[in-house]
Amino acid sequence: MTNAAGLARTYFGMGVAIGDYDNDGDPDMYVTAVGGGHLYRNDGGKFTEVTREANAQAGDGWLTSAAFFDMENDGDLDLFVCCYVAWTPEVDRGQDFQLTGTGHGRAYGPPTAFKGGLCTLLRNDGGKFTDVSKESGIQVRSAELKDPLGKALGVAPYDADNDGLVDLAVANDTVQNFLFHNLGNGKFEEVAMQCGTAFDQSGSPRGGMGVDWAEFKNDGSLGLAVGNFANEMIALYVCDDPKGLQFSDLANLYGLGAPTQPPLKFGLFFFDYDLDGRLDLLSANGHLENDIARVQASQTYEQSAQLFWNTGRPGRALFAMVGSESAGPDLFRPIVGRGSAYADIDGDGDLDVVLTVNGGPARLFRNDGGNANHWVRLVLAGTKSNRSAIGAKVAVEAGGRTYRRQLFPAKSYLSSVELPLTFGLGKETKADRLTILWPSGEKTEQKDIKVDTQYRIVEGAKAR
C-alpha cells in the first residue's frame, strides 16, 4: 500500500477495522500498529493512505483493536481505537523478563510490569476526524495515581440497552474490562463495574483478549463473551433484560467453564456455523511463550481452536464442544492462534473462518456442509445512515421464532468480519418477515422472504 505521496509504508501492524468512513460506497480500512494507526481510503479497489489528511493517527502508543461505529447517528462513521500498554524496547530490555523455571532466555513481560494506555475516540466530521477522547469520557484513569487504567486489546460495539445509541465493550488485560454506555451528544460513561462486566465472579480481573456480543438464546437476553488468558475460562456475561444493563457471568452455567479454562484464548466470535438458527462460539487459541511446556505441563505453545455448538438446550448442555468427527480435523490442528474472523468466501451461504497465526501464515477454513440448513443473507447499504449500514438492527421472523442481529464487523481480537449478515433458519422453508431498523431511525419491513437467497437492501427501498 502507498500513502498520499505514493510512498510505501512499513510498520509493526496489529489489527484492522473496516468501514466506509467517507460514504463513497467503497469500504475503507484502518490498520492499528505500534506507534500509531493508518487509514487507507478505498477508491474503486485502490487504497491510498490518508492518515495525516484525515487526522486519524490516534496517538503514538501500542494500538490494538479498532472499531468503526456511528456514535451520534449522524450518518458518518466514527472510530474507536484501543491502546494496550506504555511499551518501549528500552523499558522492556531494562527489565530482563525470563520464563520462570527455565533459567535462561528472554520471555514476554507481563502486562502488570507496564503502565496502561489511553484509548482514542475520533469523531468523523465529514471525512476528517477530530479527537474527542478526553471530553467524551472514554479515557479512564486510576483513582489513586491518575495513571491510564486500561490495557485494551479488544473492542465490540453494540446498542446493549436498546436506546438507539451504540455502546462499547472493551476487553482489558489484567485490569477490569470497560463498558462505555453511550449517553448521547458524544458523551460516554464507563459502567462495567456497576453492570457486572468488569471482573470475574470473585471480583478479580482477567487477561481479556477477544470480545463479542450476541442474543445467543433467541429469547431477548443478551450475552457478552470475552476470551481470557490461560487457566482463565471464557467470560459469558448475560443480561436477561438489556434495558437494565445488569449482567452475570454464566459461562459455567452454559457449558463454557471447564472446557475453556486451560487454553490461552485470543480471537473469539459468535456465528451460526451450521445455520440451525442458534449462534455458536469459536475461539482461536495459542500461548505466548514457545517454551511454556517446560514449566507448565498442561500448556503448549500451539493450541487447538475450540468450536462450541449451541444446542438450544437449557443449562450446562447449552454449549457443547465440537470435535473433528463432525467439523473435520483441519480446524482443530494446533496453531499459535491470534485473530479470528468469518465470511462466506465461496458464496454457498455458510460461513467460512480465517484464523491468524503468530509467526506463520493465516489459515482459511472452508465450511463444507454448513449449508445443509436454510439461510438468508443480507447486504445492507445506508442512505440517510452511513453507507456501510454499521449499527443497523435486523430481525428475521421464521417458524414462530425471531432472530436478531446488529451489524458491527468489529469484534474478536484485532479483527473485522464481513459486512453481510447471515441468518440460519434451520429447516424453515421461508422467512415470514424481515425488519431493519437503520441507524437513522428509518424502518424497512418486508414479508415472505425466500430462503437460500442473498438480498441487497438499500435504506428506503425494498429488498432485491
Side-chain angles (χ1 to χ4, degrees), residues 302-316:
E302 296 180 328
Q303 299 180 355
S304 298
Q306 291 178 305
L307 176 61
F308 293 90
W309 176 52
N310 187 335
T311 68
R313 297 193 293 269
R316 285 183 170 80

Side-chain angles (χ1 to χ4, degrees), residues 149-375:
L149 180 59
K151 297 178 180 181
L153 288 174
V155 58
Y158 205 87
D159 182 3
D161 57 349
N162 203 31
D163 64 353
L165 298 169
V166 180
D167 311 299
L168 297 161
V170 175
N172 283 313
D173 192 0
T174 70
V175 297
Q176 68 179 69
N177 298 320
F178 296 150
L179 177 56
F180 293 112
H181 182 219
N182 192 335
L183 303 176
N185 299 315
K187 304 294 184 182
F188 291 81
E189 181 184 10
E190 202 291 293
V191 296
M193 196 173 300
Q194 303 95 296
C195 294
T197 61
F199 301 113
D200 67 11
Q201 290 178 321
S202 67
S204 300
R206 289 180 281 200
M209 315 288 182
V211 59
D212 194 14
W213 297 92
E215 296 188 26
F216 65 95
K217 293 196 293 179
N218 294 327
D219 63 356
S221 61
L222 179 61
L224 174 65
V226 181
N228 294 307
F229 202 76
N231 301 313
E232 298 173 342
M233 67 181 66
I234 281 177
L236 182 62
Y237 302 107
V238 180
C239 179
D240 291 328
D241 177 15
K243 289 186 178 181
L245 279 182
Q246 291 297 312
F247 292 82
S248 299
D249 189 352
L250 303 182
N252 247 332
L253 178 63
Y254 290 134
L256 294 176
T260 70
Q261 186 155 341
L264 201 168
K265 300 155 287 289
F266 277 91
L268 93 172
F269 55 73
F270 291 99
F271 75 137
D272 188 356
Y273 90 93
D274 59 349
L275 302 175
D276 64 357
R278 299 183 298 270
L279 289 171
D280 314 301
L281 184 68
L282 184 141
S283 173
N285 306 326
H287 213 281
L288 296 177
E289 302 290 350
N290 55 9
D291 285 336
I292 190 63
R294 298 179 61 181
V295 296
Q296 293 186 38
S298 62
Q299 293 294 324
T300 57
Y301 185 43
E302 296 180 328
Q303 299 180 355
S304 298
Q306 291 178 305
L307 176 61
F308 293 90
W309 176 52
N310 187 335
T311 68
R313 297 193 293 269
R316 285 183 170 80
L318 182 66
F319 283 104
M321 193 158 67
V322 177
S324 58
E325 66 280 358
S326 56
D330 288 1
L331 181 64
F332 305 112
R333 290 196 174 99
I335 60 173
V336 189
R338 293 295 185 261
S340 61
Y342 59 79
D344 180 10
I345 60 153
D346 51 359
D348 65 354
D350 54 28
L351 293 173
D352 310 294
V353 168
V354 62
L355 305 180
T356 63
V357 178
N358 192 38
R363 307 292 177 89
L364 178 60
F365 301 94
R366 188 184 62 217
N367 189 343
D368 292 329
N371 57 1
N373 287 312
H374 295 300
W375 50 271

